[in-house]
Amino acid sequence: MEHHADLTAQVIGAAIAVHKKLGPGFLESVYRRALQVELGRYGLRAESDAKLNVTYDHVVVGEFIPDLMVESRIVIELKASSTLTLAHEVQTVNYLTVTGIEVGLLLGFGGARLEFKRKHPHRNAHYRPVHPVSAPPVHPVPRCMNSPASYRIIDISRPLYTGSPHWPGDSATALDLTASMAAGAACNVGRLSCSVHNGTHLDAPFHYNSRGLTTDQLDLSLYIGPARVIDARGHATFTPALFHGLTDADLAAVPRILFRTDAWSDLTTFPTTWPLLDRALPAWLAARDVKLIGLDLPSVDELNNKDMAIHHLLDEAKILIIESLDLRDVAAGVYELIALPLKLRGGDGSPIRAILRR
């Protein structure tokens, strides 16, 4: 289904634009018409009256008219409710299954941010309704992870210490002792002062979105699980070409991407330039169900940026961010990532101790 992926990314980008301009609160018909207008600006044909045959045991038993049909290839289902539910997902999958359409997009316009889910039909010869299940999804992980004795732990965190590199103008790192055994105290007691964005850290959405989740509100499960290291060395811009040879299923199965660039090789100094994401990449990744990216760079935006544009694009795509990793000794491939934040109430980020296991 790789041939649908770029089209899906364009639809998501158009839907994000519609939600950004209209916000929540309108009828589905308003969002449908607005999305048709926006897709037209992309040069895409979106039909609101396309009739699809519903088959049962290879016999046509009725018709189905989706909210929108894009380029006769993708079914779009729009919802104006405050959140997308499992029932909405089941409904969309059933529509695809009985019509033979390979890809569907479920779009939710009723919340503070656009919700979107990419769905595929069931691969069975006959129509069978989808029934919700409560079991969590199972992600493929390297076989050695099943045996604790065989774990190899790779520390991908940069050290924090007094004077360690930090973003220009942000709070420096200071680590000292307020009580010292050398001075006669019963124990050593340390004190740490720093920006929450010093060293290897995550950005909570609240960092770049005043309505975003704070550090203590983050879903920790997104920071634990299979992660794919992509060798991006020598690339000034991260584009879909970096993922050549990977299918949509590959990316969806390992929804965390870590970019290794080796562009920040001197850990004692703060760089002034570094590679950046192509501005179309967040939507492209989101269309493939990627939930988190990490970089061995200080930021997803450039040093002198004024608008945090790439942060905002990732936020709109619902992709979380980890920055300032140390991936110098990590080969491309799939690992298990563990990168948990401190429970900072109201925080906009947090230092993390990030590791890979394999």
Side-chain angles (χ1 to χ4, degrees), residues 8-36:
T8 305
Q10 291 182 75
V11 174
I12 292 172
I16 288 173
V18 169
H19 188 273
K20 200 168 186 179
K21 292 174 184 176
L22 293 181
F26 294 97
L27 296 175
E28 290 177 10
S29 59
V30 173
Y31 295 114
R32 180 173 63 249
R33 179 59 186 141
L35 186 56
Q36 276 186 292

Side-chain angles (χ1 to χ4, degrees), residues 97-328:
T97 302
V98 299
T99 58
I101 302 299
E102 291 188 357
V103 178
L105 271 178
L106 177 60
L107 303 175
F109 289 88
R113 294 191 301 174
L114 177 81
E115 278 193 86
F116 54 87
K117 293 182 182 292
R118 188 178 188 194
K119 310 307 293 183
H120 302 286
H122 276 267
R123 299 301 182 191
N124 55 337
H126 310 292
Y127 168 59
R128 183 180 62 194
V130 180
H131 299 289
V133 294
S134 58
V138 177
H139 300 294
V141 296
R143 184 177 299 174
C144 63
M145 291 179 192
N146 296 323
S147 173
S150 64
Y151 288 155
R152 178 193 172 205
I153 294 178
I154 307 171
D155 189 349
I156 55 172
S157 308
R158 293 175 184 259
L160 276 177
Y161 54 91
T162 299
S164 58
H166 65 280
W167 193 274
D170 207 347
S171 301
T173 300
L175 178 61
D176 59 4
L177 293 175
T178 58
S180 168
M181 296 176 68
C187 62
N188 295 315
V189 178
R191 174 177 57 192
L192 174 65
S193 173
C194 66
S195 164
V196 295
H197 300 278
N198 287 6
T200 301
H201 66 276
L202 61 78
D203 287 351
F206 181 62
H207 179 50
Y208 37 85
N209 179 350
S210 60
R211 295 182 296 178
L213 296 178
T214 55
T215 308
D216 55 310
Q217 297 172 329
L218 295 171
D219 180 355
L220 298 182
S221 69
L222 296 173
Y223 297 91
I224 305 174
R228 186 183 304 276
V229 175
I230 297 293
D231 190 342
R233 288 176 291 180
H235 291 262
T237 306
F238 304 156
T239 69
L242 284 171
F243 301 88
H244 177 73
L246 296 174
T247 67
D248 288 359
D250 292 332
L251 291 170
V254 184
R256 302 164 188 84
I257 301 294
L258 308 180
F259 294 96
R260 176 186 174 181
T261 70
D262 289 359
W264 187 2
S265 56
D266 183 355
L267 301 192
T268 65
T269 62
F270 195 88
T272 57
T273 61
W274 50 80
L276 298 171
L277 278 70
D278 182 271
R279 296 200 176 197
L281 188 62
W284 188 91
L285 291 172
R288 291 151 181 81
D289 297 322
V290 171
K291 305 299 184 186
L292 176 148
I293 66 165
L295 312 92
D296 58 355
L297 305 168
S299 175
V300 296
D301 278 298
E302 60 187 341
L303 179 61
N304 296 316
N305 83 91
K306 303 299 182 183
D307 56 3
M308 301 187 77
I310 298 177
H311 279 85
H312 289 301
L313 289 172
L314 289 165
D315 188 38
E316 290 169 358
K318 295 186 178 180
I319 296 177
L320 297 167
I321 304 167
I322 294 176
E323 297 169 331
S324 300
L325 294 166
D326 182 4
L327 298 171
R328 293 172 299 166

